């Protein structure tokens, strides 16, 4: 575990001192990079926020532990996100005007894991939104409540009904995810 893991812990704890430090030490570099690569201050702020949310989500759900400096990880995630945004908006080749491309394998591996994680989260969310309202409600409650008995009570239905409904909805969601083109590209 790298000593910079304190930034991850600070994000998880919503520690304002750590967040201020991140903004003071690392954000100006991202803003400079994006402004020099066809972007503006607002673009940079969007990229920074989305990247911090990704890091937070990965730390919270996957227990992200840094094995490299936070700066390298954060900067590379932001740069890749910006390059992807440029590619999406222009469908052209993007020239990266950064000479400081990080070659450390642990950083690249962490960034790849973060990008995979975010792509999976986005796919799940997209397919979840395509479920019917009742399925969404049953699954949302089953994610947040401790037991299926509580879910049944909250919905005012029987335990057997809510178990069967959850099973059907989970199966439907799984099928939708597995049949999507995004899922197939993530697997390869």
């Amino acid at each position: 575990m790298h000593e910079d893991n304190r930034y991850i812990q600070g994000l998880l704890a919503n520690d304002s001192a750590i967040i201020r430090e991140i903004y003071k030490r690392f954000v100006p570099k991202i803003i400079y990079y994006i402004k020099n690569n066809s972007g503006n201050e607002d673009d940079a702020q969007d990229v920074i926020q989305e990247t911090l949310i990704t890091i937070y989500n990965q730390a919270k759900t996957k227990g992200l532990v840094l094995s490299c400096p936070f700066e390298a990880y954060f900067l590379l995630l932001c740069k890749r996100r910006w390059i992807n945004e440029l590619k999406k908006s222009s469908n052209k080749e993007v020239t990266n005007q950064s000479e400081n491309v990080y070659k450390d394998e642990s950083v690249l591996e962490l960034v790849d894991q973060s990008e995979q994680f975010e792509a999976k989260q986005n796919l799940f969310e997209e397919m979840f939104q395509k479920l019917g309202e009742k399925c969404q409600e049953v699954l949302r409650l089953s994610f947040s409540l401790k037991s299926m008995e509580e879910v049944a009570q909250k919905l005012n239905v029987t335990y057997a009904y809510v178990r069967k409904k959850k099973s059907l909805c989970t199966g439907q969601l799984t099928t939708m995810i597995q049949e999507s083109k995004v899922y197939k590209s993530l697997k390869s």
Side-chain angles (χ1 to χ4, degrees):
M1 177 168 44
H2 195 277
E3 65 190 33
D4 280 0
N5 216 53
R6 70 187 182 88
Y7 292 109
I8 304 298
Q9 296 308 312
L11 286 172
L12 279 172
N14 199 19
D15 182 329
S16 58
I18 292 288
I19 294 169
R20 273 194 306 275
E21 185 178 343
I22 289 170
Y23 271 83
K24 184 178 179 186
R25 289 186 63 194
F26 311 123
V27 165
K29 295 174 186 176
I30 300 302
I31 293 170
Y32 177 80
Y33 172 80
I34 291 175
K35 282 180 158 181
N36 285 318
N37 286 282
S38 307
N40 60 38
E41 180 98 20
D42 289 339
D43 296 327
Q45 292 299 334
D46 290 345
V47 166
I48 290 159
Q49 285 300 313
E50 290 169 9
T51 302
L52 287 172
I53 290 168
T54 297
I55 293 170
Y56 172 85
N57 286 336
Q58 191 170 20
K60 186 172 180 159
T61 60
K62 296 284 188 185
L64 171 67
V65 176
L66 288 181
S67 57
C68 63
F70 179 82
E71 179 178 22
Y73 177 62
F74 182 60
L75 295 178
L76 192 55
L77 266 179
C78 288
K79 286 177 181 182
R80 280 194 175 179
R81 181 178 299 277
W82 180 242
I83 289 170
N84 288 337
E85 286 298 317
L86 289 175
K87 284 180 184 176
K88 270 194 260 178
S89 65
S90 69
N91 274 341
K92 296 177 187 169
E93 277 298 309
V94 175
T95 304
N96 183 356
Q97 295 181 7
S98 171
E99 294 174 20
N100 295 333
V101 177
Y102 220 80
K103 300 288 188 214
D104 185 347
E105 274 193 39
S106 64
V107 174
L108 294 175
E109 186 177 322
L110 272 175
V111 168
D112 286 340
Q113 287 173 6
S114 293
E115 288 175 343
Q116 281 275 339
F117 174 80
E118 185 175 18
K120 288 175 185 176
Q121 288 283 99
N122 290 340
L123 174 60
F124 175 85
E125 193 57 41
E126 179 186 337
M127 294 303 141
F128 186 83
Q129 294 303 320
K130 291 182 179 181
L131 289 173
E133 280 184 45
K134 201 66 172 169
C135 272
Q136 286 184 26
E137 183 179 29
V138 167
L139 290 177
R140 208 175 271 119
L141 287 172
S142 70
F143 297 152
S144 63
L145 299 176
K146 290 186 175 103
S147 70
M148 292 307 290
E149 288 88 359
E150 288 180 81
V151 174
Q153 188 177 24
K154 183 104 171 156
L155 294 174
N156 202 23
V157 296
T158 66
Y159 172 77
Y161 171 82
V162 84
R163 278 196 50 182
K164 177 128 177 102
K165 187 71 173 169
K166 180 185 177 192
S167 177
L168 291 171
C169 294
T170 303
Q172 184 182 357
L173 180 60
T174 303
T175 300
M176 289 167 56
I177 289 170
Q178 290 175 343
E179 289 176 351
S180 79
K181 290 178 183 175
V182 174
Y183 177 79
K184 291 172 182 157
S185 71
L186 286 172
K187 283 198 69 162
S188 57

